[in-house]
Each structure stands twice: as C-alpha cells, then as structure tokens.
Amino acid sequence: MSGERMDHTTRPSPDALLRQAGREERGRLKIFLGAAPGVGKTFEMLQTAQAKRREGTDIVAGVVETHGRRETEALMDGLEVIPRRRTDYTNRGLDEMDLDAILARRPRIVLVDELAHTNAPGSRHAKRWLDVEELLAAGIDVYTTLNIQHVESLNDVVAKITRVRVRETVPDSIIDRADDIELIDLTPEDLIQRLKDGKIYLPRTAERAIRHYFSPGNLTALRELALRRTAERVDDQLLTHMQAHAIAGPWAAGERLLVCINEDPSGGALVRYARRQAERLRARWSAVHVETSRSLRLSEAERDRIADTLRLVERLGGEAVTIPGRDVADGVVDYARANNVTHIVIAKSRRTYWSELLHGSVSHNLIRRAGGISVHVIAADPSDPVPAKTVRTAPAHARRLSGWPYAAATACVAVAAVLGHGLRLWLDLNNIALVFLTAVLVSAVTGGLGPSLYASIISVLAFNFFFLPPLYTFTISDPENIVALFFFAVVALIASNLTARVRAQAVTARQRTKTAEDLYQFSRKLAGVITMDDLLWATAYQIAAMLKVRVVLLMPDGGSVAVRAGYPPEDEIDAADLAAAVWAWQNNRPAGRGAETLPGAKWLFLPMRTGRGPVGLVGIDTGRPGTLLTPDQRRLLDALTDQAALAIERVTLAEDVDRARLAAETERLRSALLTSISHDLRTPLASILGSATSLTSYGPLLGEEGRRDLAATIQEEAERLNRFIANLLDMTRLESGALQPRRDPVDLGEVVGSALERTRRILAGHTVGIELAPGLPMARLDPVLFEQVLFNLLDNAAKYAHPGSTVTVRAWAADGCVRLEIMDEGDGLPPQDLERIFDKFYRVQAGDRQRAGTGLGLAICRGFMEAMGGTITAGNRTDRSGAVFTLTLPEAPLPPTLETAAS
C-alpha cells in the first residue's frame, strides 16, 4: 500500500499541468502592485524595462504615465514608444493606447501603465485590462502597474478605510492569472515625505491629500492589504508549482490548516476549534471527509451528521471537501501534501484499546505518515455538536425483492454448466471452475450481492454434482477434490462480495455525479438570473424536478410572508398552512408537516438562510400521507435551498443598491428643486409684491411713467413666474409619460415666427437674425411643443449672450431631415458641460455672471425633441465665441396631390 501511495503522490497534478500549459500558450503578465499612488510602481517598471532592453529584449512602451516627474521621464530614454491613438470625444481630444499598432508591431514585451484605466468612448474595449487580455492572447508579454484600491474584491474594504469609493476596478481574475506580481512597498512615513516634497502632487493638492487620503492610518491599512493580497497570490503560485512538479509537501512558506471530519458527534466542536486555530495562525483552512467502503454502511443519522458538519465549515468560512479513498489516513495525508497543508486537526479517538488494536487508529496512522506536517489531536466535546435537524425523515423505501436477478443467476450457472460439459474433453477440471467463477461475477455485476452469493452456492453444488467424481452425486471421493471445492467456494464468495461492493460504489457514484451535475446546472442557471421572479420560478422548478414534490416559495411581505412562486404553478396553501409559514419565518425554524411545530399542517416550511439571516421560505408537499423526505432528499434539499438563498441575497442586494442609488438621485433632485424654487419663486414674487405695494401706497404720488414702470415690472415678473411654473408642469408631463405629441407636417417658418413673437420682450436687448433656406420643406412635429423648445432656447440665448449681440436662427434641409440652429454671441459652453447641460437642474457655472434660472429649460427641450422623434445637440461656434444648439427633425412627406404636381 505504501508503494502505491508513493506512486500517487509523486505523480504531477493534471490540473496544475493544464494551468501551466495554458499559460505557455499566451503572453506572460507581470503586475507591479502598490498600496497607494506615488510608491514608485512606474519607476520600478521602467527600471526593469531598461534592464531587459540592455539584455537585448524587444520591449516597447505602449502607454506610460510619467506625470511630469523628471526622474521617471529620464528612464524613458532609449525605449521605443508606440504613438498613442487620438480619440475625439465631446470636442476634446483624448490620447489612448494604440492596441492595433502594438499587435502589428508584435514586440516581446510591452509596457502598459495604469491597468485600471477606463478607455475613451468609442475604443474597442471599455477598460484597459481588456486591452491587456487581448495582448496576452496574442502571445505578447505585458508589464503593467496597479494600486491595491483598484482590486474589485477589495473595493468595499478600501472605501471603508479611506472613505473614498474607487470607481475604476480590475477583476480579481486578472491578478489570479498574473504570472508575476512584484510588490512595490514604501513605508507611510517615506510616502508622506515624498508627497510633501512635491514628487507626487502639486503642493496645494498634496496638502489636501495628506489631510484626507494619505493619512498614516490609511496608508498602513492599504499597505497591509497589498501585502496580504500579494502573499495570497504567491501562495497559490507555490501550490501550483508543487503540484505540477509532484513535490511532496509541506513547504511551510505559509500556514494552511486541514480538519478531518467523520460521523462522530464531536464534529461541530472540532470545526469550531479549527476555525479558532486558523484565526490565530492567520491561515487558510479547509475540512476533508474521506469516503471509504465503510461509508456505505453508515446510518442515515450519521450521514446527516457529516453533511451538517460540512455545511457548518462553509458557514464559518472554510472550504469543505469530500474525497474517495481506501484508507482515511492515506487519503488525508495525500490531500494535505497535494495542497501544501502544514497543520492537520483531528479528534481524539473514543474507541476502546481492544477496538483500536483490532481495527487500527486513524490518529495514530496519521501521525505516523504525516511526515513534516504537524498533527493536532484534540479531545473534542461531543456535547457541543452541530444542531440536529428538526424535521423527521424516513428511510428510502427498500426495493421489493424480485425473483428476476435470482433467475438470471440460475441461468448464468446453467450456462456455465453447459459450457463446462462441452469443454471438459479439452480443459482441466481447475479451468472448468473458472467458467463457474465467471458466472458468479456476472451475477454480482448484474444483480448485486444477494444474487451473487446465491450464484456462488449453486455454482459450488453444480460443480460438485456435474464434474467431481463420482458424477451426478454430491459425494466427493477424492480428498484433493474436497480441498479444491473448498477453495473454489471461498474464491467465489470473496469475488462475489468484492464485485457486488464495487457495483454498489459505482451505482452510488453515478447517482452522486447526476446530483452534482444537476446542482451545477442549477447554479449556472441562478448565476444568469437577474430578476427575483425568474429566480424564484427557476428554484421552484428545480426543487420539484429533483425531489418529485410540490413546491411553493414564500418571501417576506411586511410582517408576514406571501407566496411568490410555486410548481406546479396552480398550487396554493390554505390558512392553516399559511399560519405555519408565518411561524417558520418569524422564528427562523422549520414548521409544518413532519416538524416539531404545527406537525398537522399539510405543507412543510423550511427557512432559506444566508450569513445575514433568513431570506425566504420553501414549502414542500408530496400529496401523499407519510413522511415527506428521506435523509438523502433532505440533504439534497439543503444544498438546493442554500444555493437559492445566496442567489436571492445577491438579487436583493442588487435591488437595494438600485434603490439606494434612486433614493440618492431623488434626494439630489429634491434638494435642487427646493433650492431652485426658493430662489426662482421668491425673486419674482418679491418684485411683484414690492411693485404692487408701491402702487397701493404711493400710487397718487407717482407720475404716469412711474406707475407704468411698476405695472411693467409686475407683468414681466409674473410672466417669468408663469414660465417657471410651465417648465415644472412640462417636466412632470415628461417624467409621468403623459406626453403624447402630434406628428403633423408643419411649416417651420410659422413656428419660428410664433416663438420670436413670444420672446419679443425677452430679446429686446438683442438683434435677431433669421436665415431660413428658400424652399424649406415641412417637418413632422408638434407645433405647440416645438414652439416651447424654441422659446426655451431663445430665452437661454437672451440670458447668456452679451447685450446688443446678435441671436441667429438658421434652418436648412439635408439628408431627408430639417435642421435648425440657434446661435448666440456669448462666452460659449465649457467642453466638459456639452452633455451635462441637458440634465435636470444642471446649470453651467459662470462665476459672477451666473444668470437666474431653474436648470430645467434644456432638459425639457431634449425631452420634447425626443418625444417628437428628433434630436438636439449643443456645441460652440467655430467662427467666433458663442453657443450653438442644433435641432434635427424628420422631413414630412409631400401629400399625394403635391407629389403628382411635382412630378
């Protein structure tokens, strides 16, 4: 046995070899990882690149950000730089890495700085790490830099430490696939000193950074995160190397702890001890259960205990593994060496001395064979077990005894007797015994243990009756034949027993493989579900299909629960069952049929739990009297509900994030609306109130011109207030979906003239230029809405154009559309605001020249234009300063009579 075990442990791991082979087909990725900006990642990357260049390696710079640091720029000397690709976005030019140029150049190594960078819109990939993946797939090695705060799995942790949420992240899979990670480490004191010396940011920015992000506590925490993440990746690389080269562990470069699980009641205490020990060692930990031939003889209660213990391991953050094996100690040691385990935890045996002498001791064998692995044998307390199940289960119905396997065994023996009788003239008596032994093996494979034992007995009798002299009697005259018959019987019994056992293991393995495949497909299905309804329906169907039961799924609804899905879909529960469901939800315990609480109910309700608590209930019913589930079915149901609960929590968290984002947006809009209303209602009302009070109190004392000015002020401010209320009402119509525009052929000149008439008072201080192309076709639009769009745009131009300047309205036809431009001669729009100006309540910051307004006018313009099937864009004039708004509408087809006349 030891020789076989040595052969097994010295054989390389196929998975590790496949991982290495996959990496050889692609480029190598090296990541220079830092805890914070400024630690010197780019500097170190360039130093390594210069060393490679001096060695004759073909290396180029795809994108390197020196940030104006002289010592970093000096390291670029001599390196070939691939020119960046220019991308135009919102009238701005952005420089991005030219991926196609690098692929065409095909260097051996390319430098790609800032792995978490987001590419400009219109690029082939949205993120730079996707560009890197394409380079690696093409066989090009990549050197890149990354800060620890950009790692996806650490995003929340970093946000809690620094109170800054990093938006640009890189998936952990990129780091896991990296061939090399070089940690660029710098103490917080040295980094802060570099910051003060101006080597990272400008002095004013550096002072603000030191007060907030670059505090000593933040940097220490980020440094620990970087060290730990690098250590985890190095540990994985070490394990892969050991498995690929069949190196017998452990190499104690890092601590790993393994706890051995069996059916003993002390399993819960053992797991909790292992968890505490792993925390003290700051080590990864896992649990292993070795399935041997003895496992088939365990009772259902013992199997339940093992399953519950492994579930406890996963709840406490460990990895639960079940492996097959002939010997428990050999299986544990082989697994420990293959996974570089340094500590094994096992419970002290509670067998008697004579039992250990006869059957052996797993702990003693483990200590003897562990080699350099430390073995912790603890006296676990069986009074602290895993909580027992609170739902009664019944053993699976035994298969009815059938005579067909025994008839088949009889036929096999009869065939063997006929063959033996035909072969006796050419074969020796001992060889004929092998024919009967074959019949025994066939019976064991096809029928199992009972038919094989039956075939063994009748084979012995048939062999004696037909082939041992004196023939056709059960008497044996030759003593040698007695010995031969005895050993034939022993071999037949042993062979039938072993073959039947292998058959049982194969049947069990097929069943478990089928179950594992179903669970895997279920997990894939859940991973692709994004809505709660789809998730619940998929879960109900899967449970019903695998357990052959009726299923309902209930979710919290206020202080109670309500049915959200079921299979078959028409299933309903009555008031008594609903009461059991409510009790199960409120107490987080099973209730209903077969449970300790309300066992008279028709349905059984089980909570679906995650680490955060219960997320829902699953109810099952078979429609038949008796116990609902067998122990195997209960374990399968636990696995299904665990997966479903995690998926429900995932969808719920996603919905919570959406609700929080919506609430934040609503709060922002509410604050903006209140701010706008407080200003844009109070200002005209104050003017109206002041003018009206003056007319009332001093009217007779004022001249005709004074009274006329006050009345004009009241009218002007009332119109301003009316426009503000109209904008609010229009935005409400847009957001509620109540807007139903007409799409009629309309002469654009008429609508422009009407809008200019409405804005005559507003544009009184400006010159208005009109340039409508002759023969301008009619456009498909709603004249009322389009007039309001023009009014808002002209009002906006009057606010921001310089007094006495010209506001131009120009229209022409092109490409089946009618385009209209409104241009002013103001200061223009900041490039970064060309899209944001159409957001609700957003207003361009213009310093001391800020104009009154709500920030709704342009948002209403875009909403109206889109409702009419048109578009609106903003830009700046090219001939002089000023803003230009371009409206595009579909050209209206000519009526049939006009088409005929035109032809």
Side-chain angles (χ1 to χ4, degrees):
M1 184 184 300
S2 61
E4 291 179 1
R5 188 174 69 254
M6 184 61 68
D7 291 341
H8 171 70
T9 55
T10 55
R11 188 166 57 245
S13 167
D15 292 335
L17 291 175
L18 285 173
R19 286 196 294 269
Q20 285 195 346
R23 287 178 177 175
E24 291 175 357
E25 296 175 357
R26 56 194 290 271
R28 294 180 60 84
L29 174 64
K30 182 172 184 177
I31 297 177
F32 294 84
L33 182 66
V39 296
K41 302 179 299 300
T42 304
F43 187 86
E44 184 64 29
M45 180 179 69
L46 289 173
Q47 279 192 328
T48 305
Q50 289 287 3
K52 289 288 186 181
R53 183 182 66 83
R54 287 191 291 269
E55 293 173 1
T57 304
D58 182 16
I59 185 168
V60 302
V63 55
V64 175
E65 303 292 350
T66 62
H67 298 290
R69 299 164 189 159
R70 290 191 298 272
E71 62 273 17
T72 306
E73 291 176 346
L75 288 174
M76 292 290 294
D77 292 342
L79 284 176
E80 179 184 348
V81 178
I82 302 296
R84 301 192 191 184
R85 175 177 52 84
R86 188 75 171 177
T87 301
D88 292 328
Y89 176 65
T90 62
N91 294 336
R92 287 189 303 166
L94 301 176
D95 293 329
E96 294 293 351
M97 182 178 70
D98 195 338
L99 179 60
D100 291 325
I102 297 174
L103 291 173
R105 170 67 173 74
R106 291 196 65 82
R108 186 72 193 92
I109 303 174
V110 61
L111 307 182
V112 182
D113 207 1
E114 297 184 358
L115 184 61
H117 173 75
T118 299
N119 292 331
S123 302
R124 183 187 310 175
H125 301 299
K127 299 288 186 179
R128 184 169 288 169
W129 61 266
L130 293 170
D131 294 337
V132 168
E133 283 202 326
E134 186 168 343
L135 292 172
L136 294 173
I140 302 174
D141 295 350
V142 176
Y143 287 178
T144 187
T145 63
L146 180 69
N147 286 327
I148 193 65
Q149 63 263 34
H150 295 292
V151 178
E152 177 65 37
S153 64
L154 301 177
N155 190 256
D156 293 340
V157 179
V158 172
K160 290 180 180 179
I161 294 172
T162 63
R163 294 180 175 83
V164 176
R165 172 72 65 173
V166 178
R167 299 300 177 188
E168 294 181 323
T169 59
V170 173
D172 288 64
S173 58
I174 298 296
I175 299 178
D176 294 336
R177 289 199 300 269
D179 299 277
D180 299 296
I181 294 182
E182 183 172 337
L183 179 65
I184 312 302
D185 190 28
L186 199 64
T187 64
E189 292 78 11
D190 292 341
L191 182 58
I192 291 175
Q193 186 60 45
R194 289 196 65 194
L195 198 63
K196 292 179 179 178
D197 294 342
K199 295 182 178 181
I200 302 177
Y201 298 130
L202 295 176
R204 182 174 299 178
T205 306
E207 292 179 5
R208 188 166 59 251
I210 292 174
R211 289 196 304 269
H212 298 91
Y213 191 89
F214 282 82
S215 67
N218 288 356
L219 293 177
T220 301
L222 293 174
R223 188 184 183 200
E224 182 177 2
L225 284 177
L227 290 168
R228 286 186 178 277
R229 190 64 181 86
T230 306
E232 290 177 3
R233 180 68 190 110
V234 172
D235 189 51
D236 291 338
Q237 288 178 325
L238 174 63
L239 180 59
T240 300
H241 173 78
M242 294 177 65
Q243 292 175 345
H245 294 83
I247 298 174
W251 282 2
E255 304 289 354
R256 286 175 179 262
L257 188 141
L258 179 68
V259 55
C260 305
I261 301 300
N262 60 10
E263 72 281 2
D264 194 270
S266 61
L270 186 68
V271 168
R272 295 183 183 98
Y273 171 83
R275 176 71 174 87
R276 295 192 298 270
Q277 190 71 8
E279 284 185 345
R280 285 193 289 268
L281 295 173
R282 295 184 177 272
R284 295 185 182 183
W285 70 290
S286 56
V288 63
H289 168 64
V290 181
E291 282 190 339
T292 63
S293 57
R294 178 176 169 273
S295 301
L296 299 175
R297 301 192 296 272
L298 295 178
S299 66
E300 295 293 351
E302 290 172 330
R303 294 183 185 181
D304 266 352
R305 196 177 298 136
I306 293 172
D308 292 342
T309 305
L310 293 176
R311 291 183 70 208
L312 177 63
V313 171
E314 294 176 343
R315 286 201 299 270
L316 294 179
E319 180 185 5
V321 180
T322 300
I323 59 174
R326 289 181 298 176
D327 181 80
V328 174
D330 288 344
V332 171
V333 171
D334 289 346
Y335 180 84
R337 288 176 176 167
N339 291 274
N340 200 30
V341 170
T342 56
H343 298 270
I344 297 176
V345 178
I346 189 171
K348 179 182 178 182
S349 174
R350 292 189 288 123
R351 289 180 176 178
T352 63
Y353 172 78
W354 293 108
S355 177
E356 288 191 355
L357 195 62
L358 291 174
H359 303 287
S361 170
V362 173
S363 57
H364 291 168
N365 294 338
L366 199 57
I367 293 171
R368 214 167 22 247
R369 301 168 188 170
I373 304 175
S374 301
V375 180
H376 304 253
V377 182
I378 70 167
D381 186 5
S383 63
D384 185 23
V386 179
K389 294 185 184 297
T390 56
V391 177
R392 291 191 301 273
T393 56
H397 297 291
R399 291 189 304 175
R400 294 181 180 178
L401 186 62
S402 174
W404 286 109
Y406 293 89
T410 304
C412 288
V413 175
V415 171
V418 173
L419 289 175
H421 192 272
L423 297 173
R424 65 183 303 176
L425 297 177
W426 297 281
L427 297 179
D428 185 68
L429 191 62
N430 295 332
N431 294 328
I432 293 176
L434 296 178
V435 179
F436 283 95
L437 188 58
T438 302
V440 173
L441 296 179
V442 171
S443 300
V445 171
T446 58
L449 182 59
S452 67
L453 293 176
Y454 168 74
S456 300
I457 295 172
I458 63 174
S459 293
V460 170
L461 296 176
F463 184 66
N464 180 19
F465 188 79
F466 291 107
F467 297 97
L468 294 181
L471 299 179
Y472 311 118
T473 66
F474 291 106
T475 304
I476 304 175
S477 59
D478 189 348
E480 291 184 2
N481 291 338
I482 296 176
V483 175
L485 185 64
F486 172 75
F487 282 106
F488 171 72
V490 171
V491 170
L493 290 173
I494 293 175
S496 65
N497 187 32
L498 291 177
T499 306
R501 184 180 299 178
V502 171
R503 176 183 180 274
Q505 291 176 347
V507 171
T508 303
R510 283 197 298 271
Q511 292 174 346
R512 290 180 177 173
T513 302
K514 178 64 168 58
T515 300
E517 177 65 20
D518 289 341
L519 289 174
Y520 171 69
Q521 294 298 335
F522 180 49
S523 66
R524 289 189 59 188
K525 186 184 300 182
L526 294 184
V529 171
I530 59 175
T531 65
M532 184 64 72
D533 288 339
D534 291 343
L535 168 61
L536 296 178
W537 282 111
T539 302
Y541 172 77
Q542 191 73 24
I543 294 175
M546 294 186 69
L547 298 179
K548 304 299 185 290
V549 294
R550 297 158 56 193
V551 180
V552 291
L553 295 176
L554 302 96
M555 299 293 291
D557 183 15
S560 183
V561 289
V563 176
R564 289 284 300 275
Y567 193 87
E570 63 273 7
D571 271 348
E572 295 181 358
I573 58 176
D574 56 26
D577 290 314
L578 184 59
V582 172
W583 190 95
W585 172 253
Q586 293 175 346
N587 295 273
N588 194 20
R589 293 178 58 192
R593 181 175 169 184
E596 296 177 349
T597 304
L598 304 175
K602 179 181 177 182
W603 290 76
L604 169 64
F605 298 97
L606 303 169
M608 293 188 290
R609 306 184 184 94
T610 65
R612 301 175 63 190
V615 296
L617 293 175
V618 55
I620 58 173
D621 176 35
T622 60
R624 302 183 303 271
T627 307
L628 286 172
L629 301 172
T630 66
D632 281 340
Q633 288 176 327
R634 175 60 199 271
R635 290 189 289 270
L636 177 58
L637 179 61
D638 287 339
L640 291 170
T641 54
D642 284 347
Q643 288 192 19
L646 291 174
I648 290 172
E649 185 178 57
R650 172 179 58 82
V651 174
T652 303
L653 289 175
E655 292 176 349
D656 290 343
V657 170
D658 290 339
R659 281 194 293 268
R661 186 182 297 112
L662 180 60
E665 180 68 14
T666 302
E667 179 63 23
R668 186 184 70 82
L669 292 179
R670 186 186 68 84
S671 300
L673 180 60
L674 289 177
T675 302
S676 178
I677 288 177
S678 63
H679 178 271
D680 290 281
L681 280 181
R682 182 178 297 174
T683 301
L685 285 176
S687 298
I688 293 172
L689 183 61
S691 299
T693 302
S694 298
L695 282 175
T696 303
S697 301
Y698 307 104
L701 303 178
L702 297 173
E704 183 67 23
E705 185 177 353
R707 288 194 297 271
R708 192 182 307 113
D709 288 342
L710 289 176
T713 300
I714 293 174
Q715 181 180 356
E716 182 178 345
E717 294 299 327
E719 289 176 351
R720 176 181 167 189
L721 186 60
N722 182 61
R723 291 196 299 271
F724 174 72
I725 300 300
N727 279 341
L728 288 178
L729 293 176
D730 288 340
M731 183 56 65
T732 302
R733 292 168 61 199
L734 277 172
E735 294 186 339
S736 65
L739 189 67
Q740 298 295 332
R742 296 166 53 191
R743 302 281 297 278
D744 299 328
V746 176
D747 183 0
L748 208 59
E750 295 182 3
V751 184
V752 170
S754 177
L756 290 174
E757 180 63 26
R758 284 182 59 190
T759 55
R760 183 169 53 84
R761 291 173 56 86
I762 299 174
L763 294 171
H766 300 274
T767 301
V768 178
I770 303 176
E771 301 176 10
L772 301 183
L776 189 68
M778 290 191 291
R780 289 177 58 86
L781 52 85
D782 185 314
V784 176
L785 296 185
F786 191 69
E787 181 182 329
Q788 185 62 37
V789 171
L790 294 179
F791 178 86
N792 286 348
L793 292 177
L794 292 170
D795 181 38
N796 188 76
K799 288 179 183 176
Y800 291 97
H802 300 299
S805 62
T806 301
V807 175
T808 304
V809 180
R810 185 173 63 177
W812 72 97
D815 301 328
C817 296
V818 179
R819 290 187 172 89
L820 185 144
E821 285 184 347
I822 296 179
M823 300 181 291
D824 61 50
E825 296 179 354
D827 295 329
L829 299 169
Q832 67 272 18
D833 291 330
L834 291 180
E835 279 298 318
R836 297 194 62 191
I837 59 173
F838 293 106
D839 295 342
K840 289 178 294 185
F841 301 111
Y842 183 81
R843 303 183 64 215
V844 175
Q845 299 299 320
D848 295 336
R849 300 189 69 250
Q850 186 76 24
R851 300 292 193 271
T854 63
L856 286 176
L858 294 180
I860 292 171
C861 289
R862 169 164 284 186
F864 282 0
M865 288 299 295
E866 291 178 350
M868 291 184 291
T871 60
I872 179 173
T873 58
N876 289 310
R877 299 181 63 169
T878 57
D879 56 338
R880 56 166 302 154
S881 66
V884 54
F885 290 88
T886 304
L887 310 178
T888 304
L889 286 163
E891 182 180 328
L894 291 174
T897 54
L898 294 180
E899 288 183 356
T900 304
S903 62

